[in-house]
Amino acid sequence: MSLDLLEPLARLVTTTEAIEGLRDLFAAEEPLDDIAARVAETAVAAIPYADDVSITVLSWPDARTAASTHERALELDHQQYASGRGPCLEAAWRRTPVRAVIGEEHQRWPEFVEAAQRVGIRASLSVPLLIGGITEEQELVGSLNIYSDTTSAFDPFDAALMRLYTIAAGQAISNATRWQKARE
């Protein structure tokens, strides 16, 4: 096998293992925020250079962090909510992955960049998080946000892998939402 294919193949295997780790969540009868925390923890293993992960949940007109693996991610999310802009919100609103190299985004999101630099984050990848099946209308939940200490982290291949990951994560969250509504 070509050396050019080994690195992407290794990344695909890592993401596949993380998706397999979500399998137990499909049958779980836990509150939404507990499932979100497990999804965030599993996502750290899904992509190289992921140092912190959070899940943004949009509930008009507000956004909140349902889960985070580290206080830094929570701080960065809150900065975006306070300013009303940043990659996690843009990914959710546009329903498309948003990659950012922190040093290159000062014009676009000055508050986010300053907060990221303060806590040592150098790159981010936010991917929309949708629930609902293939045959039914998908509903926007928010975004899965991945933060890295490495400037060169995350490329278009990683964005595609995380879209695949969020399909499985969305199903786990959808199941948790149904369970929580039934319980209430």
Side-chain angles (χ1 to χ4, degrees):
M1 180 173 293
S2 164
L3 289 177
D4 292 341
L5 293 177
L6 288 179
E7 197 259 336
L9 181 60
R11 288 160 54 195
L12 179 61
V13 167
T14 301
T15 301
T16 301
E17 290 170 352
I19 291 171
E20 288 173 347
L22 293 174
R23 189 176 14 209
D24 294 340
L25 298 181
F26 289 110
E29 293 182 348
E30 299 176 36
L32 177 60
D33 285 1
D34 292 351
I35 294 291
R38 290 176 57 189
V39 166
E41 290 166 9
T42 306
V44 171
I47 186 169
Y49 304 110
D51 293 304
D52 304 324
V53 172
S54 68
I55 294 178
T56 294
V57 175
L58 298 178
S59 52
W60 185 255
D62 299 315
R64 71 179 181 88
T65 300
S68 69
T69 60
H70 194 278
E71 192 66 32
R72 293 189 310 177
L74 192 59
E75 183 178 331
L76 291 175
D77 288 356
H78 286 174
Q79 178 58 55
Q80 293 173 76
Y81 308 152
S83 68
R85 59 184 174 179
C88 79
L89 296 173
E90 190 170 314
W93 292 331
R94 290 180 42 209
R95 294 185 180 216
T96 188
V98 175
R99 295 173 26 242
V101 175
I102 302 307
E104 299 172 2
E105 301 294 347
H106 200 275
Q107 292 284 80
R108 191 173 181 188
W109 308 305
E111 302 90 352
F112 170 71
V113 168
E114 289 171 16
Q117 289 173 333
R118 195 171 41 250
V119 297
I121 294 298
R122 306 227 178 340
S124 73
L125 173 62
S126 292
V127 182
L129 191 54
L130 306 167
I131 61 173
I134 308 264
T135 58
E136 59 188 272
E137 175 118 5
Q138 292 189 318
E139 178 184 342
L140 178 66
V141 172
S143 60
L144 175 74
N145 312 302
I146 308 159
Y147 300 106
S148 179
D149 300 336
T150 305
T151 303
S152 61
F154 317 133
D155 60 20
F157 186 73
D158 294 323
L161 287 176
M162 287 300 93
R163 286 189 79 166
L164 179 63
Y165 177 83
T166 60
I167 290 170
Q171 287 302 307
I173 290 170
S174 182
N175 288 349
T177 302
R178 285 188 196 116
W179 175 81
Q180 195 164 339
K181 285 179 182 175
R183 186 163 183 223
E184 289 170 357

